[in-house]
Amino acid sequence: MKFFLDTADIDQIRTASEWGILDGVTTNPTLVSKTGRPFLEVVKEILKVVDGPVSLETVSLDAEGMIKEGRMLAELGENVVVKIPMTPEGMKAVQVLESEGIPTNVTLVFSPVQALIAAKAGASYVSPFVGRIDDISGEGMKLIREVKEIFLNYEIDTQIIVASVRHPMHVVEAALIGADICTMPFAVMEKLFKHPLTDKGIDLFLKDWEKVPDKPF
Ligand code: G3P
């Protein structure tokens, strides 16, 4: 499973990239606004650091506007993926952009049939949101299981990006289901490294190392 960061924060992206586990980045207008910086400045920096796919979101509500914005965004880098909301107008835009070789990521997907529609329109990626479903007492990961099953039934090659991830167990469950990608906040990616027995083990080894005579380092 690929690991994407769901952020527009360049420091977080640089750090994860240095860890060697960053496969791509997803952004949205909320994440870009949190940086407080001009959109193009932020995006150009991200594209310099990340080799993998970088999703950038359109904001128009009509297909014509989305297509125009999508073409502009795609000009910024070969690895740009245009994020389009799950609406009828959005699916019109997906068809056009994909026919021009511009990959799309259909976002704000909350039901299995929305994911199927996105795939039928030709989207390269679909982003079902798990955390926001959990937030309203639903079962976000059930959506991922159902989308995966439908895509397997019909050998659909649209990639599933598990989005709106809140904690490491979302990542584990996404991998168990066989999702293609999990996009997560930096705080969640950091937590993936953690295990109390790892910390305890390091402490013990360091204490014992002190007892070793004539150490080379
Ligand atoms: O970028 C899409 C999605 O991951 C947003 O997550 O935490 O705002 O529900 P969240």
Side-chain angles (χ1 to χ4, degrees):
M1 186 174 71
K2 290 185 174 161
F3 283 7
F4 285 9
L5 262 187
D6 197 27
T7 186
D9 184 312
I10 193 67
D11 294 329
Q12 295 179 348
I13 292 168
R14 281 210 179 94
T15 303
S17 175
E18 283 164 10
W19 289 336
I21 60 170
L22 185 66
D23 299 304
V25 165
T26 50
T27 67
N28 62 37
T30 306
L31 294 169
V32 175
S33 79
K34 279 185 188 164
T35 68
R37 299 173 56 206
F39 177 75
L40 284 177
E41 189 183 294
V42 173
V43 164
K44 283 178 185 170
E45 247 180 32
I46 295 174
L47 290 167
K48 259 191 219 158
V49 176
V50 183
D51 290 331
V54 175
S55 286
L56 305 175
E57 193 156 338
T58 56
V59 289
S60 283
L61 295 179
D62 62 306
E64 202 185 326
M66 290 179 201
I67 293 163
K68 203 170 144 202
E69 289 168 14
R71 286 176 182 148
M72 265 182 61
L73 294 171
E75 287 290 311
L76 298 172
E78 280 183 359
N79 50 339
V80 168
V81 174
V82 178
K83 221 169 166 186
I84 303 271
M86 166 36 71
T87 61
E89 285 297 298
M91 297 313 95
K92 281 195 218 169
V94 164
Q95 280 186 73
V96 173
L97 292 170
E98 291 279 350
S99 74
E100 294 174 7
I102 299 172
T104 59
N105 170 5
V106 175
T107 189
L108 293 164
V109 166
F110 294 96
S111 79
V113 80
Q114 285 182 322
L116 182 57
I117 287 170
K120 285 175 74 68
S124 298
Y125 303 89
V126 63
S127 291
F129 280 30
V130 293
R132 291 192 196 183
I133 292 181
D134 291 353
D135 290 345
I136 57 160
S137 305
E139 194 193 334
M141 293 314 297
K142 181 167 171 261
L143 170 61
I144 304 301
R145 280 195 294 277
E146 291 177 348
V147 174
K148 178 74 188 175
E149 191 175 332
I150 292 169
F151 283 13
L152 282 173
N153 284 347
Y154 297 102
E155 296 178 3
I156 289 168
D157 56 11
T158 299
Q159 294 193 53
I160 302 169
I161 304 182
V162 178
S164 185
V165 161
R166 301 271 195 266
H167 50 71
M169 278 315 291
H170 276 150
V171 183
V172 174
E173 288 170 48
L176 287 169
I177 293 166
D180 302 281
I181 298 152
C182 189
T183 188
M184 64 200 88
F186 182 77
V188 172
M189 194 178 276
E190 252 186 330
K191 283 181 192 155
L192 300 181
F193 290 90
K194 297 284 179 195
H195 196 287
L197 291 178
T198 305
D199 295 339
K200 205 176 154 190
I202 290 171
D203 282 350
L204 184 63
F205 286 153
L206 288 182
K207 275 190 193 110
D208 288 342
W209 179 245
E210 288 307 313
K211 300 172 202 159
V212 176
D214 294 331
K215 296 185 281 283
F217 51 84

